[in-house]
């Protein structure tokens, strides 16, 4: 198939839910991807913060190939070595006690919502409410798009599930007013991703912890985008020292192989009994082997430290561009390799022009250029992006 045939087939047979760029990607290597015409791009989108190790990472490829040759799937009716290793590693890394392996971020959040509701009801039958922050993003299933406090994801889908409420992000007084004896959980992204790389003030997560503790509500961190060393620590909450009762993961966990997880303390997980939750594919040995390889690479390749160092280098470079183009750029912010650059105008054409020049980036919340590359990039890869951005911004 050539590019036109691929696009025509998708147009005819694929549900029309995405606006796509007219590019057919075929393969990648490290932080680069190639399209069907052979054009090379440096990948600062990384599948939306997914390809932590870049493309075709030898360790990840070998782990997947080896596991595929042994067993791709079996039912959760049986134990597997791969799932046992993964849940032990995630529990030890996070300090939480129990783990459920799902297939995506939305599914991980669905599981977390179910667990929080069930826990809340053990305290009081009315304690069912789930509170989430404005501008959050938690997924596209009915419960998670209801949790996602943005009408654009909800239009035409009512009646929505009940028992969800919202509060302004980064405002402890508002959170305190929102939390009540009916609140089973408060779900927070330690840094909001889709909402625009929004970083709360120092002390915000600590304050949220205190408000939840005072009222008996659970604190849930959605680390689907921020987790797995993205922000320079394995989990973003580790920058603050505030531990959640439940945490959700996905995106980078499998390095590109679909997988999600929710983790909880023993006290909370104890309300789940046999039959309360499940998944046919969740925790299959292929996905778990991939996640185990990702965890091994994060440790052996020092990716927490590299994300921190390259993130600082990238922010320095972007800050230089901000000084050069003050009429276009108002702020550079981020943690590790989750970096946003706020524009004074919509960023859509800048994304398209970067693509034209050989760099994949995206724009979120309308005017925030977002950079979430693989965590194993080096300074040369950062310089390459900065040169393309400079050229594109100069032409605006
Ligand atoms: N939570 C956060 C913070 C996310 O950024 C996303 C996806 O962007 C999700 C949940 C949903 O994950 P998925 O698309 O894997 O369902």
């Amino acid at each position: 198939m050539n590019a036109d045939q691929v696009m025509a087939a998708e147009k005819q047979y694929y549900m029309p839910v995405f606006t796509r760029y007219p590019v057919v990607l075929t393969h990648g290597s490290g932080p680069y991807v190639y399209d069907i015409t052979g054009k090379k791009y440096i990948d600062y989108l990384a599948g939306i913060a997914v390809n932590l190790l870049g493309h075709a990472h030898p360790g990840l490829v070998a782990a997947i190939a080896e596991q595929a040759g042994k067993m791709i799937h079996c039912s959760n009716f049986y134990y597997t070595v791969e799932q046992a290793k993964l849940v032990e590693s995630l529990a030890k890394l996070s300090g939480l006690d129990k783990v459920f392996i799902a297939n995506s971020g939305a599914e991980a959040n669905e599981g977390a919502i179910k667990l929080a509701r069930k826990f809340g009801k053990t305290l009081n039958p009315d304690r069912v409410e789930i509170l989430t922050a404005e501008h959050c993003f938690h997924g596209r299933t009915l419960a998670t798009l209801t949790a996602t406090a943005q009408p654009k994801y909800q239009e035409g889908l009512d009646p929505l599930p009940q028992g969800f409420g919202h509060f302004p992000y980064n405002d402890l007084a508002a959170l305190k007013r929102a939390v009540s004896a009916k609140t089973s959980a408060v779900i927070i992204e330690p840094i909001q991703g889709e909402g625009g790389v929004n970083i709360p003030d120092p002390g915000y997560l600590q304050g949220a912890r205190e408000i939840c503790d005072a009222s008996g509500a659970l604190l849930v961190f959605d680390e689907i985008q921020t987790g797995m060393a993205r922000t320079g620590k394995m989990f973003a909450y580790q920058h603050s020292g505030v531990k959640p009762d439940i945490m959700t993961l996905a995106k980078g966990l499998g390095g590109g192989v679909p997988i999600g997880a929710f983790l909880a303390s023993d006290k909370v997980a104890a309300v789940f009994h046999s039959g309360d939750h499940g998944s046919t594919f969740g925790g299959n040995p292929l996905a778990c082997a991939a996640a185990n390889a990702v965890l091994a690479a994060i440790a052996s390749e020092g990716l927490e430290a590299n994300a921190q160092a390259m993130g600082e280098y990238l922010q320095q470079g972007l800050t230089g561009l901000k000084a050069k183009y003050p009429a276009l750029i108002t702020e550079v912010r981020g943690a590790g390799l989750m970096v946003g650059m706020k524009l004074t105008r919509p960023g859509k054409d800048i994304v398209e022009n970067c693509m034209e020049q050989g760099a994949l980036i995206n724009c979120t919340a309308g005017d925030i250029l977002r950079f979430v590359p693989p965590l194993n990039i080096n300074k040369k890869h950062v310089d390459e992006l900065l040169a393309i951005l400079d050229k594109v911004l100069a032409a605006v």
Side-chain angles (χ1 to χ4, degrees), residues 113 130 132-133 136 138 142-149 154 164 166 187:
I113 290 167
I130 305 289
T132 60
C136 68
H138 296 301
L142 273 176
T144 57
L145 70 83
T146 307
T148 296
Q154 303 172 344
F164 289 82
H166 311 297
I187 307 182

Side-chain angles (χ1 to χ4, degrees), residues 104-106 109 137-139 189 194 222 224-225 251:
S104 68
N109 281 337
F137 186 81
H138 296 301
E189 291 165 82
E194 301 309 297
D222 177 339
I224 284 163
Q225 190 158 153
K251 289 203 182 272

Side-chain angles (χ1 to χ4, degrees), residues 102-123:
N103 304 289
S104 68
E107 256 188 68
N109 281 337
E110 282 274 343
I113 290 167
K114 281 175 68 176
L115 181 61
R117 277 239 173 119
K118 203 144 193 245
F119 182 82
K121 283 183 182 231
T122 61
L123 304 177

Side-chain angles (χ1 to χ4, degrees), residues 7 43 48 186 208 222 287 309 373:
M7 290 188 270
D43 190 2
I48 319 183
V186 172
D222 177 339

